[in-house]
Amino acid sequence: MPDVYSIHLAETDSTNRYLLDAYRAAADDAPLRKAEVVVVRADFQTAGRGQGSNRWASEQGKNLLCSILMQPRGVMAAQQYILSMAGALALFDVLKPLGEGFTLKWPNDVYWHDSKLSGTLIETTLKGSCIEACIFGIGLNVNQQHFPADVPNPVSLRHIVGVDTDVCHWLDSIVTAFRQRMDAVNSGAYAALRADYHAALYRRTGTHAYRDSQGIFRATMQGVADDGHLLLRDTEGTLRRYAVKEVEYIL
């Protein structure tokens, strides 16, 4: 069986939806089940998704729109945030050699300074109390230069490096990085992964403005808990704990 099993689609509604349906329908001995990594890439998504109700907007053929399926070993459902960290770090590993300014905005966006370059939507399937499969749906802005007005603070690699680059080049590099970071997960190197993730966090130093259901406040980042909650300490000294979508970064 191949180490990497790849599917290329001209168009789909969502690469995550396509891959999840294909995985569930596949026989146990199918390549899609047996490969170390399964990748679905689309030139265009009609219903690309982000976190929660967010959508991912992309021009035809301009950006990397893909989903990567991996089957981690021994990751308990309660520990699944380690997979989010590993996936975010894989993207960071590929992009940080381009220069300064790359960080990871909790939970797993890649930022360049104060602009969003990439987002990831993670979906998992369970087998008992463990993660059976994890699908990382990735949108990386590669060659797009103009974005819809309602897309907040976007940036692309075209803006950063000044020239168009090959979308497939980035996919190949990202798959390699994913395999390396998943090796760390499978070997139980959780502490090292957490340390790398925290070192790469956006706003990891300084006091910054945030907004929650009670309004705007200023706080310093204390890190991310093992269950994925963001920890912020406000200027009154109170430690605040947030799940995804419960707090907004004020840029």
Side-chain angles (χ1 to χ4, degrees), residues 184-197:
V185 171
N186 291 334
S187 68
Y190 291 7
L193 287 165
R194 292 189 183 103
D196 287 351
Y197 178 82

Side-chain angles (χ1 to χ4, degrees), residues 194-237:
R194 292 189 183 103
D196 287 351
Y197 178 82
H198 282 93
L201 277 175
Y202 177 68
R203 291 188 173 179
R204 63 187 179 277
T205 61
T207 302
H208 302 276
Y210 300 88
R211 180 189 289 114
D212 64 10
S213 60
Q214 303 302 309
I216 295 175
F217 63 98
R218 294 185 65 82
T220 57
M221 185 171 294
Q222 303 299 293
V224 178
D226 290 351
D227 63 2
H229 284 77
L230 179 67
L231 304 177
L232 300 174
R233 189 172 301 279
D234 65 27
T235 51
E236 302 299 317

Side-chain angles (χ1 to χ4, degrees), residues 37-79:
V37 184
V38 181
V39 180
V40 173
R41 179 176 71 87
D43 297 329
F44 185 68
Q45 290 184 132
T46 59
R49 294 178 293 148
Q51 296 287 351
S53 60
N54 291 355
R55 66 186 182 90
W56 188 267
S58 175
E59 290 182 5
Q60 177 93 25
K62 291 284 189 179
N63 303 317
L64 178 59
L65 309 170
C66 70
S67 292
I68 298 174
L69 182 148
M70 308 189 81
Q71 300 179 62
R73 295 193 298 269
V75 178
M76 306 295 289
Q79 300 173 308

